[in-house]
Amino acid sequence: MRKTSARLLALLSLLQARRDWPGALLAERLDVSPRTVRRDIDRLRELGYPIAALKGPDGGYRLGAGTQLPPLLFDDDQVVALAVALRTAAVTGAGIEEDAVRALATVRQVMPARLRHRIDALQITAVTRPRTDLAPQADTEVLLTLSTAIRAREILRFDYRSPDHAPDPSTSPPRRAEPHHLVTWGSRWYLVAWDLDREDWRTFRVDRLTPRTPTGPRFTPRELPGGDVTAYVATRFRGAHHPDGTPAWPCRGEVVLHLPATEITGYVHDGLVEEVSSDRCRLTLGSWSWPSLAALIGRFDVDFEIVGPAELTEAFGRLGKRYAEAAARSTSSNAPRTSGTTPLDTP
């Protein structure tokens, strides 16, 4: 049987893991009798932990969250998990690096030596895409304000500046939206929300957003396109637009490739692949110019039909003519000679 101190720590850890615990289940998880559980609950109460008894056939317990809650206790695995999460947050951006570093230092200071050695051995290097290395970061207070509005399901009022200038609050009416999710992408924070004025889903960069107080009335959450935030974000960030809604590429086109979707999905990192049939797929892709887009599609080296737009068709025509002329010149210059001698003819 565990020592009393270790058992109390395990009991406290279980009480923190879920809202309500039946007494019999606690006894089973700790491998002790229900009487021992009751005795350990009394000891935790004496230490200042607000644990309420639940009525019912089997009885139960709930750990409260009072203002006088003593410092929480963690087992070794929880401490390591907390330190790993803080170290990861300290190097991966998202605007909380400094706070994460200070929190990690605080946690490390109270760790036993055996755990400090494990954490110090963990070294993480964050490698970000060049275009996001200098990405502006969101303010922690703004993130907390948005999180509170999302949790309370309250309409958010905020000022939103464009990339070029900040709005003038005295002349610009605030944006109004139903906030649904906070997400990170490319070292930036984004707010996924239903824009009440535009009556559509929008994704706002948090570093360009300034909340106004107070928040508005409560709302009933709508269903995101795709069913959940993962499906919505995966589609939104796949290349049709930047997360804030601006077009990602000036030139976008569609073709039907004579290949199964499964064979090209792994090679398309900034486009959309849709299955048409067992041996056909529709590819939507973007690039900085129409000839560049045509060349990107040509790299698959399979037959295809152009869906549109007309600019893409014209680009394929120009490239086809240019390639044909280049091939003709190459064939002419490499043709075998019909007279004279070559070095191979010389003995």
Side-chain angles (χ1 to χ4, degrees):
M1 182 180 293
R2 300 179 182 179
K3 294 182 179 180
T4 302
S5 57
R7 195 174 64 245
L8 289 178
L9 178 59
L11 174 57
L12 183 59
S13 178
L14 289 174
L15 291 171
Q16 293 169 1
R18 55 185 280 183
R19 180 175 174 82
D20 297 330
W21 277 95
L25 183 56
L26 282 174
E28 179 183 342
R29 294 290 292 271
L30 296 171
D31 193 23
V32 296
S33 67
R35 181 179 178 182
T36 300
V37 170
R38 291 194 295 270
R39 197 162 52 234
D40 288 346
I41 290 292
D42 290 337
R43 290 192 179 99
L44 289 176
R45 286 169 175 163
E46 291 173 359
L47 292 173
Y49 291 92
I51 302 175
L54 305 177
K55 296 180 179 180
D58 300 325
Y61 303 96
R62 175 186 300 168
L63 178 63
T67 56
Q68 302 301 318
L69 183 64
L72 298 180
L73 301 177
F74 296 93
D75 58 32
D76 287 3
D77 291 338
Q78 289 175 319
V79 172
V80 171
L82 175 62
V84 169
L86 289 172
R87 176 152 291 181
T88 302
V91 299
T92 55
I96 58 173
E97 299 92 336
E98 183 178 347
D99 294 335
V101 169
R102 292 192 294 108
L104 179 59
T106 301
V107 172
R108 185 186 180 281
Q109 186 175 5
V110 298
M111 283 182 179
R114 67 180 188 279
L115 295 183
R116 280 202 301 270
H117 294 324
R118 292 177 62 184
I119 296 304
D120 292 343
L122 176 66
Q123 300 296 326
I124 301 175
T125 300
V127 179
T128 58
R129 291 174 289 182
R131 65 184 179 90
T132 60
D133 283 345
L134 302 178
Q137 301 299 336
D139 184 86
T140 303
E141 289 300 321
V142 173
L143 291 173
L144 292 175
T145 300
L146 299 181
S147 297
T148 301
I150 292 171
R151 189 180 305 110
R153 298 178 179 177
E154 293 177 343
I155 292 175
L156 190 68
R157 300 186 308 125
F158 58 93
D159 298 313
Y160 194 68
R161 65 180 182 274
S162 68
D164 302 323
H165 64 280
D168 182 357
S170 63
T171 59
S172 304
R175 302 286 290 269
R176 299 182 311 117
E178 298 174 354
H180 282 255
H181 295 277
L182 275 175
V183 299
T184 58
W185 178 267
S187 299
R188 289 193 178 106
W189 284 95
Y190 295 91
L191 172 68
V192 178
W194 174 265
D195 192 315
L196 291 169
D197 298 318
R198 290 158 178 77
E199 296 186 347
D200 195 8
W201 288 100
R202 290 290 188 270
T203 310
F204 302 96
R205 270 180 49 176
V206 174
D207 61 283
R208 296 178 180 171
L209 186 154
T210 304
R212 289 197 184 187
T213 55
T215 53
R218 294 173 62 87
F219 64 90
T220 301
R222 304 169 189 264
E223 183 176 353
L224 272 166
D228 57 37
V229 67
T230 302
Y232 174 78
V233 170
T235 301
R236 188 70 170 175
F237 292 178
R238 193 172 281 169
H241 295 81
H242 289 304
D244 58 4
T246 57
W249 296 109
C251 304
R252 292 190 62 80
E254 296 182 15
V255 297
V256 173
L257 299 178
H258 293 196
L259 271 180
T262 54
E263 291 191 18
I264 73 165
T265 300
Y267 301 96
V268 180
H269 303 293
D270 198 18
L272 178 64
V273 180
E274 301 172 272
E275 182 176 349
V276 175
S277 63
S278 60
D279 60 349
R280 297 282 197 281
C281 66
R282 180 188 296 266
L283 172 64
T284 304
L285 201 61
S287 187
W288 58 274
S289 72
W290 293 112
S292 172
L293 179 56
L296 282 174
I297 295 171
R299 69 191 171 98
F300 290 103
D301 193 26
V302 296
D303 293 337
F304 60 89
E305 289 91 37
I306 304 170
V307 178
E311 291 86 349
L312 180 59
T313 302
E314 294 171 1
F316 273 116
R318 291 197 302 272
L319 284 183
K321 181 179 179 182
R322 187 174 300 152
Y323 291 164
E325 292 174 351
R329 288 194 297 269
S330 177
T331 300
S332 176
S333 62
N334 294 330
R337 300 183 182 182
T338 56
S339 62
T341 60
T342 69
L344 294 178
D345 297 323
T346 303

